[in-house]
Amino acid sequence: ETGVTQTPRHLVMGMTNKKSLKCEQHLGHNAMYWYKQSAKKPLELMFVYNFKEQTENNSVPSRFSPECPNSSHLFLHLHTLQPEDSALYLCASSQEEGQTYNEQFFGPGTRLTVL
Amino acid sequence: KNQVEQSPQSLIILEGKNCTLQCNYTVSPFSNLRWYKQDTGRGPVSLTIMTFSENTKSNGRYTATLDADTKQSSLHITASQLSDSASYICVVSAGGTYKYIFGTGTRLKVLA
């Protein structure tokens, strides 16, 4: 285990549903990340939080809404998604944003299917 | 444009054989390069990291090389095992912006 957990592991939702993804890290890190992983594409950075403050929003549609109540927890709230949003959503953490020599630790991901 | 390209896209080898995966990048300025292994249904796990001054780094049967002049890296797997079946992702960090640029990965399948 990497010390980063994600729930649920699998999620199927309709386009009108509202759901949330949860990420928790037990590593004492200060930076947390959401990534989208689609088949045959590089990981796409969505959001970055550093010390609970959002420092990066990579032009993500507003139907994805992140929340970071503390340095250990990160949520991704989903509403009115599109079928093309189906992907593996990965959460990661690192000691601090900007120190790229420090490893990013990834969770197992949530496999999202939008019908 | 900062980019990381990996080859081949997929590879099938027999157990016990060696293989080499390639990573070419156009990231500038360069900060470091990391190889990740991602098992099916799991998140990526770091194998090695190299900075500008490092040419080679090993982690068990995995050996990564870096040529900063040609902007190429390789990951060599020795005496492959069934558990090596996974995707291998090359990630380059850009200096200054400290961004991570991910490659699309190489999917390796090791057959018995």
Side-chain angles (χ1 to χ4, degrees):
Chain A
E1 297 299 328
T2 62
V4 181
T5 59
Q6 289 187 245
T7 55
R9 294 294 308 276
H10 301 273
L11 179 62
V12 179
M13 59 187 289
M15 290 190 284
T16 58
N17 290 159
K18 288 185 180 181
K19 296 286 185 183
S20 296
L21 309 185
K22 179 183 176 182
C23 175
E24 183 174 359
Q25 56 97 358
H26 309 274
L27 302 168
H29 289 163
N30 296 302
M32 295 189 78
Y33 311 77
W34 278 118
Y35 286 92
K36 177 184 179 182
Q37 187 174 36
S38 305
K40 299 185 179 179
K41 289 175 121 178
L43 265 72
E44 299 173 52
L45 179 65
M46 300 175 71
F47 302 103
V48 182
Y49 280 82
N50 199 38
F51 293 94
K52 300 189 300 179
E53 298 296 320
Q54 187 180 119
T55 56
E56 181 90 30
N57 176 338
N58 201 20
S59 302
V60 180
S62 59
R63 58 185 183 269
F64 295 91
S65 175
E67 179 189 359
C68 187
N70 54 61
S71 292
S72 299
H73 293 86
L74 185 64
F75 295 89
L76 188 63
H77 304 299
L78 317 171
H79 63 97
T80 59
L81 294 190
Q82 305 297 311
E84 59 264 30
D85 296 323
S86 298
L88 182 68
Y89 288 85
L90 291 165
C91 173
S93 72
S94 68
Q95 186 59 48
E96 191 174 328
E97 187 193 11
Q99 298 177 4
T100 60
Y101 193 84
N102 292 329
E103 182 180 346
Q104 283 187 312
F105 290 82
F106 287 85
T110 294
R111 172 66 63 186
L112 174 67
T113 303
V114 182
L115 302 177
Chain B
K1 182 184 176 184
N2 287 330
Q3 249 181 328
V4 175
E5 294 184 354
Q6 293 186 243
S7 61
Q9 279 191 6
S10 61
L11 183 62
I12 301 175
I13 62 174
L14 292 176
E15 188 179 14
K17 298 296 186 183
N18 303 334
C19 68
T20 300
L21 314 180
Q22 299 289 344
C23 173
N24 297 337
Y25 61 92
T26 56
V27 178
S28 183
F30 173 87
S31 178
N32 57 71
L33 183 147
R34 193 183 292 273
W35 283 93
Y36 280 94
K37 178 187 179 188
Q38 184 175 17
D39 292 314
T40 301
R42 300 235 175 171
V45 175
S46 178
L47 293 174
T48 65
I49 181 171
M50 288 181 291
T51 59
F52 184 88
S53 59
E54 295 174 297
N55 300 120
T56 184
K57 187 166 278 189
S58 293
N59 178 0
R61 295 180 296 102
Y62 300 102
T63 299
T65 64
L66 174 65
D67 186 331
D69 291 330
T70 60
K71 298 187 177 181
Q72 295 180 326
S73 176
S74 65
L75 181 69
H76 186 75
I77 304 175
T78 304
S80 60
Q81 300 177 358
L82 297 178
S83 59
D84 292 329
S85 295
S87 288
Y88 292 84
I89 302 172
C90 175
V91 185
V92 181
S93 295
T97 61
Y98 303 106
K99 299 295 184 186
Y100 299 96
I101 296 96
F102 289 79
T104 53
T106 292
R107 181 166 295 203
L108 173 66
K109 189 166 182 63
V110 180
L111 300 178

